[in-house]
Amino acid sequence: MSSPYIPLGVLYLVQGFPYGLQSGLLPVLLRSQGLSLSHIGLTRILYLPWLLKFLWSPLVDGTWHRQTWLVVSTGGLCICCALCSVLPLQATFTPLAWLLLVMHILSSMQDVALDAVTVSVLNQDQLGLGNSIQVVAYKLGSVLAGGGALTLLDILGWRAVFLLLSVGYLLAVLCAWWSRMLKEESGRQGNLKNVLSKGRLVDVVSGVFRAPGTVWTVVYVLIYKLGEQGSLSMVPLLLLDQGVSPAELGFWNGIVSLAFSIAGSAVGGVLLRKGRSVHLLLRTLFIFRVSCLVFQTLLLSSLDRDTSIVKACLLLTLVLQNFLAGVITTATFTLMMHCTRQARQRVQRLPSTLH
């Protein structure tokens, strides 16, 4: 595999599986079994490993080669999906919750290694296409494991759906193992390991946060998805309560929304390539997002009056939210990659200042 885009695309694709299971399949499945909305909302604590991944980022960057981390973490995800396949559909939520938590931990470790590889192997001319592949592949994976799995659940059954996800992870493991690009990147890796071994962790963290824009970017990344997640996760459950079938939700909130999400990601790449300021673009996009959320709130307050029209409008607003999310995510990833390159340069200069 001489092209870096193929292994990166495959690995980002399977990285989206746990998010799709958590946000697409699990809420509808639990609601169908009678679990309250408040209890379903509490399952979002399973996303905690993604907020805590800074704790094991030094471990991932400072110990094994990134290719080894990718093989181990992706292989662990394959095993977790295989274990999920042996759970009965009507089993208690606890075993599935523990497996999903482990999947989020492994996926966040995979993300640390994969993002580092992406920043390392792509040159400036490849960043645009690389960013698009990253965003689109991750979203495609989340939709395949969310809306796609939900649509196939009645046809193939619980066990077959998770076995298919296990096969997807297995193919990704083989891709990571045989990738020439990852082998070459592992051979070049070592500078950051030396920094972490020679310098104190507090000096490394301080060097990262002194990079221009880092503090603002960290705060922004922590909060920018709050409104989006509330809309895209809870509105489908309210529609399920109003009689919309799981298959219909899987189609509109999965397949159709995927197409618009990918279109949004492509539009975001085009807008940024035309030289627009990423900060100005994000400010404009958030005005549209807030307007859409206000409209959704008004529709939800009228849900019991004219359900057929209101339900159709709510489904359309979900599609629009996914489109906006696509544009925003591409712009955000571009902002994060720019910040990462600046922080990386500062960290790599640390050894000369620590003596």
Side-chain angles (χ1 to χ4, degrees), residues 151-157:
T151 304
L152 294 175
L153 194 60
D154 291 335
I155 302 173
L156 301 179

Side-chain angles (χ1 to χ4, degrees), residues 231-232 289 292-293 296 317-326:
S231 168
L232 298 183
R289 170 178 280 182
C292 187
L293 289 173
Q296 277 187 333
T317 60
L318 285 175
V319 174
L320 177 59
Q321 284 281 33
N322 275 278
F323 175 81
L324 292 174

Side-chain angles (χ1 to χ4, degrees), residues 7 11 67 70-71 74 171-179 182-183:
L11 290 167
Q67 183 183 28
L70 290 172
V71 171
T74 309
L171 293 175
V173 170
L174 297 176
C175 179
W177 182 264
W178 283 324
S179 171
L182 289 175
K183 292 182 186 296

